[in-house]
Amino acid sequence: MENIEHKIIPVNGIKMHVAELGKGPLVLFVHGFPELWYSWRHQMVFLAAHGYRAVAPDMRGYGDTTGAPLDDPSKFTVFHMVGDLISLLDAIAPDEEKVFVVGHDWGALIAWHLCLYRPDRVKALVNLSVAFYPRNPEVNPVEMFRRLYGDDHYICRFQEPGDIEAEFANIDIKEVVTNFLSFRTPGPFYFRKGKGFGYSAERAPWLTEEDLDYYVSKFKRTGFTGGVNYYRAFGLNWELNAPWSGAQVKVPAKFIIGEFDLTYHVPGTKDHIHKGGFKKFVPLLQEVVVLEGAAHFINQERPDEINEHIYAFLKQF
């Protein structure tokens, strides 16, 4: 960890903080909510030791990356995120035509779209937690979740600017981070108005006090608006992605999900993943792994297994 190099790189109108370790073929790690480059610490050390150049940015709106207008969720679309990553690759790997990509949670969704828009830049993809779904022309994803779970579902509660931030302001930041990262319930995640989380989680065994302190130090400074804005742009993503309706992701891919991941238990997800729908739209999908006993933050909860899964896939290319 002490050998990880940190840089600030101007990309796509923002200043992106990037952590880097190792030399060799580039592996780009893309984090989710509410995370940071730090979420990939275990994978970076492992892959650097196995001959790769591991690069993990703080995504737009997170950590030490600055310059995104937090008061404008329309600047947090998947197009902005993919644009950030393409600009980053142009800056740090101008001679590398294609790179490896690993994503988790929102980072997985962004990575799928990176491959959808720019397959010419991706050698192979390992995604965790969030599978690829074709665009549903009938309903945007926010309304889909509202129909499934009601207005108190977290994606619905995250839509109104300032609303969920006001709820978080009444809770200690350490408790907010702990409650998110230690969540293990496979069912839906709710924020009932005025009730906060409705629970107080014990710190997950994989989350050390040092880890927790790092997350807390960053979110104490930035707040959560940057990360929540990804959800606020969800509907806009759906509108703007109309030209890619029915399009396939044509990059070699591996997908890993935890048995108790809340995303795995959204109605229809297991059938989509295991009964052909997923493979139809990701025709070069080579493997699907369900980690028994694991929850959502699998790259941190089960790092040794995830490291081996990533390495076993990447070394084929």
Side-chain angles (χ1 to χ4, degrees), residues 5 16 23 27 30 56 59 65 68-69 71 107 110 132 137 147 153 160 164 172 174 180 193 203 206 209 213 279 304:
E5 188 178 353
M16 179 169 268
K23 296 186 184 303
V27 183
V30 192
M59 295 297 288
T65 291
D71 60 349
I110 293 163
F132 180 77
R147 291 177 188 179
H153 187 260
E160 183 65 31
I164 203 66
D172 182 76
K174 188 171 185 177
F180 273 128
K193 198 161 182 74
R203 177 170 53 83
W206 56 263
E209 281 293 339
D213 287 345
K279 178 76 170 177
D304 293 344

Side-chain angles (χ1 to χ4, degrees), residues 32-35 103-109 112 127-133 144-145 148-149 153-155 180 183-190 231 234 255-274 278 288-291 294-299 301:
F33 176 88
E35 300 180 89
H104 171 254
D105 185 78
W106 262 103
L109 187 145
W112 289 124
N127 259 346
L128 316 178
S129 181
V130 175
F132 180 77
Y133 285 85
M144 182 199 75
F145 281 106
L148 280 173
Y149 299 121
H153 187 260
Y154 77 101
I155 290 175
F180 273 128
F183 187 78
R184 285 191 59 83
T185 303
F189 195 79
Y190 292 106
Y231 295 91
F234 221 163
F255 180 68
I256 310 169
I257 194 166
E259 177 188 9
F260 298 125
D261 193 319
L262 75 168
T263 66
Y264 193 47
H265 294 267
V266 173
T269 295
K270 292 179 183 178
D271 282 351
H272 173 71
I273 290 173
H274 299 295
F278 192 11
V288 171
V289 178
V290 179
L291 279 191
H296 183 66
F297 297 97
I298 48 176
N299 50 314
E301 179 186 355

Side-chain angles (χ1 to χ4, degrees), residues 15-26:
K15 293 182 178 179
M16 179 169 268
H17 167 246
V18 177
E20 181 176 328
L21 183 66
K23 296 186 184 303
L26 193 148

Side-chain angles (χ1 to χ4, degrees), residues 1-57:
M1 286 285 287
E2 64 272 8
N3 295 322
I4 291 176
E5 188 178 353
H6 295 269
K7 305 173 182 176
I8 300 294
I9 300 175
V11 301
N12 198 26
I14 64 174
K15 293 182 178 179
M16 179 169 268
H17 167 246
V18 177
E20 181 176 328
L21 183 66
K23 296 186 184 303
L26 193 148
V27 183
L28 178 65
F29 291 96
V30 192
H31 72 77
F33 176 88
E35 300 180 89
L36 301 162
W37 76 268
Y38 189 82
S39 308
W40 298 110
R41 59 200 178 279
H42 305 296
Q43 287 72 43
M44 292 182 71
V45 171
F46 181 88
L47 286 177
H50 285 76
Y52 293 89
R53 180 187 178 193
V55 174

Side-chain angles (χ1 to χ4, degrees), residues 187-198:
F189 195 79
Y190 292 106
F191 274 103
R192 291 182 169 81
K193 198 161 182 74
K195 303 291 186 182
F197 284 88

